[in-house]
Amino acid sequence: MSPGAAYLQAFLGHLASERRLSPLTCSNYGRDVTELLRLAGETPLDQLQVHQIRRFIAQLHGRGLGGKTLARMLSAWRGFYAWLARDHGFASNPCAGMRAPKSVKALPQALSPDEAARLMEIPVDGDPLALRDKAMFELFYSSGLRLSELVNLPLSQIDLAAGMVRVTGKGSKTREVPVGRFALEAVRNWLPEREKLARPEEYALFVGKNGARLTPRAVQYRVKQWALKLGISAEVHPHVLRHSFASHVLQSSGDLRAVQEMLGHANISTTQVYTHLDFQHLAKVYDAAHPRAKKKP
């Protein structure tokens, strides 16, 4: 058995007996440290330097390992070296202070315009809660609100005559966002029912059967349930409606600054992720329309 393998076996025994980690966690440590030993090759563990660890991480990143996986591996390697320093006199930890590359930010999910329109087709049939849900979803999609902004939105902050809603977002910053005609109509239809349900002291626009404002969890549940009932196969949650608003407005207008202001993003770099969604849309159009976009089989 090589010295590195012997160290690893003793380290796993320490994790199981002294730290009392679960077998699965010990197995994960073992897999990650085994990868370190493989990368180190013939180089003794006490001779590995920071630049070599950095090269190992770059190699693994080049093989497609993501930031979270590499961060976990570095954590395991640091723990291994900390144990080697404590129990075997290793002078330094070449992994100390090293950070993994950041994971690529996942693109926001967005419904297609047809899926978004289908989600708005809630059959109300005189049902007060269906009227409320239709108004909520229309406002979400029409104005790109955050979930927290929607549940805390006061009745007084939506101006039906002007077609505007005044929203208090992150950092207590306020912004005014246009409200589309379908959303305005849905809110008007909900208001008489809200008046019957809402407690006297409740100022939120959207309330539940008990007359109090809705919780974020209740809204999440209603969105998911209606998506299932209306036959929408995509994973739907409130933030998807905000994403859909942003991507659809950007696809139609190309005005990134306007989308930034309506979403309430402090930095345009946060909004720029939607340009990738727009490019995906353009790429599909290109592939479908350009005679030399794709090779025929």
Side-chain angles (χ1 to χ4, degrees):
M1 182 182 293
S2 68
Y7 281 137
L8 173 57
Q9 190 172 35
F11 176 58
L12 294 178
H14 156 75
L15 296 178
S17 61
E18 295 184 36
R19 292 186 55 187
R20 298 186 181 279
L21 299 184
S22 70
L24 178 60
T25 302
C26 291
S27 175
N28 290 338
Y29 269 99
R31 182 181 63 246
D32 290 340
V33 175
T34 296
E35 184 64 20
L36 173 64
L37 298 178
R38 186 192 69 77
L39 291 163
E42 298 299 319
T43 305
L45 289 171
D46 60 351
Q47 294 181 24
L48 283 179
Q49 303 296 314
V50 172
H51 71 274
Q52 292 168 300
I53 299 295
R54 189 175 291 115
R55 187 175 73 245
F56 296 163
I57 292 298
Q59 290 172 357
L60 294 171
H61 190 50
R63 281 168 35 193
L65 271 66
K68 288 184 179 179
T69 300
L70 293 174
R72 187 203 68 223
M73 295 184 83
L74 272 172
S75 177
W77 297 358
R78 276 193 293 270
F80 182 48
Y81 266 100
W83 173 80
L84 288 170
R86 190 194 74 177
D87 289 10
H88 297 277
F90 276 43
S92 63
N93 187 337
C95 308
M98 190 172 297
R99 293 183 179 180
K102 289 184 178 180
S103 297
V104 177
K105 191 172 182 180
L107 291 176
Q109 267 189 319
L111 300 175
S112 70
D114 287 343
E115 287 173 326
R118 199 185 322 154
L119 187 60
M120 304 303 134
E121 294 172 358
I122 294 175
V124 293
D125 298 328
D127 179 354
L129 299 187
L131 283 166
R132 179 203 63 196
D133 293 347
K134 183 176 178 64
M136 282 196 307
F137 299 175
E138 287 280 8
L139 191 56
F140 255 135
Y141 181 52
S142 167
S143 304
L145 305 188
R146 297 180 177 95
L147 176 56
S148 59
E149 293 169 348
L150 181 120
V151 296
N152 291 311
L153 180 66
L155 171 61
S156 61
Q157 295 304 297
I158 185 164
D159 188 334
L160 298 177
M164 299 290 291
V165 61
R166 187 176 181 84
V167 181
T168 301
K170 290 184 176 179
S172 298
K173 293 180 179 178
T174 60
R175 68 185 189 279
E176 289 189 345
V177 187
V179 182
R181 62 186 179 89
F182 290 104
L184 290 171
E185 180 184 357
V187 171
R188 286 192 185 98
N189 291 336
W190 155 243
L191 289 180
E193 301 301 330
R194 181 202 176 276
E195 191 173 346
K196 298 173 188 174
L197 290 172
R199 296 174 182 175
E201 71 280 6
E202 182 57 72
Y203 62 81
L205 174 58
F206 297 110
V207 300
K209 288 188 291 187
N210 62 357
R213 76 180 56 195
L214 290 171
T215 64
R217 189 173 182 84
V219 178
Q220 291 167 345
Y221 176 79
R222 296 295 286 188
V223 171
K224 186 172 184 178
Q225 289 302 304
W226 277 117
L228 290 171
K229 288 180 182 178
L230 295 168
I232 298 171
S233 58
E235 181 71 23
V236 183
H237 50 82
H239 216 54
V240 167
L241 291 173
R242 177 171 159 89
H243 292 329
S244 302
F245 158 83
S247 58
H248 296 168
V249 170
L250 184 59
Q251 286 171 13
S252 299
S253 69
D255 193 332
L256 192 64
R257 284 288 180 187
V259 173
Q260 177 196 1
E261 289 183 19
M262 288 187 281
L263 289 174
H265 287 160
N267 298 311
I268 199 164
S269 59
T270 310
T271 319
Q272 281 174 334
V273 68
Y274 293 102
T275 63
H276 298 294
L277 287 171
D278 191 40
F279 178 79
Q280 288 178 341
H281 168 74
L282 294 175
K284 288 179 181 178
V285 172
Y286 177 84
D287 286 341
H290 197 288
R292 298 179 71 85
K294 286 185 175 180
K295 293 181 180 179
K296 293 183 178 180

